[in-house]
Amino acid sequence: MRRIHRHGVHSLRAKLTAANVALLALGIVLATAVSLMGMRHYLLGQVDTGLTRMRDSVGSARLTLRQIDSLSVLSVVSDRLVSRVPDGEDTGTRPAPDSIFTAVDGRGAALTLFGVEPTGAQRGLAESVHDPGALAADADPHDVSVHGDTYRVTAARLPDGTYILLATSTEALHRGIAKALKLDLAVGTLLLALLACLTLFSVRRRMRPLEDMVETSSAIAEGDLTRRVPSSHHPTQEVEQLRLALNSMLHQVETAYRTRERSATQLRRFVADASHELRTPLSAIRGYLQLYEQGMLVEPQERRRAWDRMNGEVDRMGRLVDELLMLARLDQRPELRLRGVDVSALVRDSAQDLRAQQPGRPVTVEAEGAVVVRADESGLRQVLGNLVANVRTHTSAEVPVRLGVERVDGAVRLSVRDEGPGLAAEDAARVFDRFFRAGGGAGSGLGLAIVQGVVEAHGGEVGVRTAPGEGLTVTVTLPARPAEPA
């Protein structure tokens, strides 16, 4: 069942979205600031250029205030530059003039020009300029405030010591910049909202594999070791690599867990089986000792028979302990004494031993020439001895046996086949389990387990082929490692 994850402000999705929005907001702010500053600089430059040209024109004429006042030709200039407001009228009830032209003395007091008293705007301009001389000496116009409105002002000094103040309003410029700022902020806010939505959608789609990994990890923590991270439809390279690495790690964890569980189960069963196998001879020995202690073994024949039985049980227990020790050493991966071994000679020796023990059993050997392999000779003798002993224990003395060895594709294949009753499929699957005896037969049930351990220590494989009524064939395949020259 899919879990619902809550994504707070501290989640990776929220942090990525906030980072993208913050970066875009910073970019919008910087772009807006740069564009507005550039626009203001350009427009102010246009205003300053007009004022500078007018100042230069007035200064280059070299006229005094009286001469200017007497020239009717300047009426055209006055119509363009002078916005007159009747004296005493409230200037706050009418819009501020775009341009102001006034004359001031050296102290900055407004003078009568063209026979008209200074207007309120002209007086305000004169009052805002504290030092006309410094303003006339400066090449660039300055910002002043006249009745709360901003102007760019410059001054021209006349030969008689008076000054002409020239001012142009910048209110329209500032209003335009304010409108542009509002438009930029509105568009920027819309872009930020759109980016936030797109980022949330994109991050959610890109983070889906990571959420799958979290769900898979949670399921595994709850005990479902078979869960794996599914592949997304459009994975990124890094996420796909992480998914593959995580699935590989989960597979290794599951394999290790299953192996540990299987090993623990086998160990418990092994301890139980070993305890059972050792308890049988110990019980027999204890029973005979109790009979002897109670004086029930009076006759010499009875004592001799009890003595022989105890020796037999001791031998059986000794063989069992030796086999257990050998299995323990094989489990620890001992260092083998590798050298060139002629497997054909070992097969012929095992066949001779079987003929000596059971002269009436037909034994066939297929081992022509020398088949040399790099292996531990004592280990291979143990393998052949256990395979032959298995045949001798579980089949009757007249059942034919075939021992063979051959080289196939460089590997050495050793086989022991009998024509006995064979095994059922369920018994064949457990034939290499420790203490397993098909049908509860004789033996300790460790012979084939030792065979498997020795063969695997050599890096080889062992398998069986059997069916009811078709006998049993055990095949040992040793890796192709030719013997080094002496």
Side-chain angles (χ1 to χ4, degrees):
M1 181 176 62
R2 185 177 294 275
R3 297 172 176 82
I4 299 178
H5 299 280
R6 297 186 180 273
H7 303 282
V9 294
H10 298 292
S11 65
L12 182 59
R13 177 185 301 180
K15 290 182 179 179
L16 289 176
T17 302
N20 286 345
V21 172
L23 289 176
L24 180 60
L26 180 61
I28 291 176
V29 170
L30 291 177
T32 301
V34 171
S35 62
L36 292 181
M37 290 175 61
M39 182 173 67
R40 183 178 183 277
H41 179 75
Y42 174 76
L43 295 177
L44 285 179
Q46 295 295 320
V47 173
D48 291 347
T49 299
L51 290 175
T52 302
R53 287 177 180 175
M54 294 173 62
R55 182 190 64 186
D56 293 343
S57 298
V58 174
S60 62
R62 307 297 296 173
L63 297 175
T64 63
L65 182 61
R66 184 179 298 277
Q67 291 172 337
I68 292 175
D69 195 22
S70 65
L71 293 177
S72 60
V73 68
L74 290 177
S75 61
V76 178
V77 178
S78 67
D79 291 338
R80 295 180 58 191
L81 300 180
V82 180
S83 298
R84 303 185 183 280
V85 179
D87 192 18
E89 186 173 346
D90 186 10
T91 58
T93 61
R94 301 185 60 180
D98 293 335
S99 299
I100 303 176
F101 179 88
T102 186
V104 297
D105 57 14
R107 295 188 304 273
L111 302 175
T112 300
L113 188 61
F114 306 133
V116 180
E117 292 296 326
T119 65
Q122 290 173 329
R123 291 194 193 96
L125 178 62
E127 293 173 357
S128 63
V129 178
H130 303 290
D131 189 357
L135 183 61
D138 196 348
D140 297 326
H142 289 191
D143 287 319
V144 295
S145 177
V146 179
H147 297 156
D149 298 323
T150 56
Y151 285 82
R152 294 286 287 179
V153 63
T154 188
R157 188 177 187 281
L158 300 181
D160 58 358
T162 59
Y163 295 90
I164 300 297
L165 300 181
L166 304 171
T168 299
S169 176
T170 58
E171 286 296 319
L173 181 149
H174 292 152
R175 286 194 298 270
I177 292 177
K179 290 182 180 179
L181 177 60
K182 293 179 180 178
L183 180 62
D184 288 345
L185 290 178
V187 174
T189 303
L190 181 61
L191 288 177
L192 288 177
L194 181 61
L195 176 67
C197 295
L198 293 178
T199 302
L200 282 174
F201 175 77
S202 177
V203 170
R204 180 178 182 181
R205 186 166 62 89
R206 297 297 182 186
M207 296 291 289
R208 181 68 259 180
L210 298 182
E211 294 179 357
D212 292 339
M213 294 178 190
V214 173
E215 293 178 0
T216 301
S217 301
S218 300
I220 290 176
E222 293 176 0
D224 186 5
L225 298 179
T226 61
R227 284 287 295 272
R228 296 294 182 269
V229 181
S231 177
S232 58
H233 297 291
H234 304 286
T236 59
Q237 181 179 2
E238 292 78 3
V239 173
E240 183 65 13
Q241 291 177 350
L242 178 60
R243 184 188 71 84
L244 295 176
L246 183 59
N247 282 343
S248 177
M249 182 192 69
L250 293 178
H251 177 72
Q252 296 294 333
V253 170
E254 181 185 7
T255 302
Y257 180 80
R258 301 297 184 193
T259 302
R260 189 186 67 176
E261 289 295 317
R262 185 168 58 251
S263 299
T265 302
Q266 291 178 349
L267 178 61
R268 288 192 295 268
R269 187 172 61 198
F270 175 77
V271 171
D273 293 341
S275 301
H276 176 74
E277 293 294 332
L278 290 174
R279 183 175 57 185
T280 301
L282 287 176
S283 298
I285 294 173
R286 184 183 297 111
Y288 284 113
L289 289 177
Q290 290 175 353
L291 291 177
Y292 179 79
E293 182 180 6
Q294 295 174 4
M296 299 180 65
L297 300 178
V298 179
E299 298 296 331
Q301 295 83 2
E302 293 178 351
R303 294 180 180 178
R304 184 63 186 177
R305 184 173 60 254
W307 179 259
D308 293 339
R309 288 297 307 277
M310 285 190 291
N311 283 334
E313 294 298 333
V314 169
D315 293 339
R316 176 187 173 188
M317 188 167 55
R319 290 192 301 270
L320 182 60
V321 171
D322 291 340
E323 291 176 346
L324 290 175
L325 290 176
M326 185 171 186
L327 284 174
R329 287 195 298 268
L330 291 175
D331 289 339
Q332 296 175 0
R333 299 292 181 182
E335 183 178 356
L336 301 178
R337 299 177 181 178
L338 301 178
R339 65 186 185 89
V341 179
D342 185 1
V343 184
S344 297
L346 298 184
V347 169
R348 288 191 289 268
D349 292 344
S350 298
Q352 291 296 334
D353 295 340
L354 182 58
R355 291 192 185 100
Q357 294 169 351
Q358 294 180 334
R361 183 186 294 272
V363 179
T364 304
V365 178
E366 296 179 358
E368 299 296 334
V371 179
V372 181
V373 66
R374 185 172 175 79
D376 184 89
E377 182 176 357
S378 61
L380 292 186
R381 288 188 180 276
Q382 181 74 36
V383 167
L384 285 169
N386 285 9
L387 292 178
V388 171
N390 185 68
V391 173
R392 188 177 65 248
T393 303
H394 297 286
T395 62
S396 58
E398 66 275 4
V399 173
V401 179
R402 185 185 68 85
L403 285 76
V405 61
E406 58 181 344
R407 189 179 294 276
V408 180
D409 296 332
V412 175
R413 183 175 297 169
L414 171 67
S415 63
V416 177
R417 177 184 179 186
D418 64 70
E419 298 180 5
L423 297 175
E426 58 273 13
D427 291 337
R430 298 186 55 195
V431 72
F432 294 109
D433 291 349
R434 298 176 182 182
F435 296 107
F436 173 75
R437 293 189 293 267
S444 63
L446 297 177
L448 292 182
I450 293 175
V451 170
Q452 184 182 43
V454 173
V455 172
E456 289 182 351
H458 283 79
E461 297 178 353
V462 57
V464 297
R465 185 175 68 254
T466 183
E470 297 183 4
L472 173 69
T473 301
V474 181
T475 304
V476 174
T477 303
L478 298 176
R481 291 186 295 177
E484 297 178 356

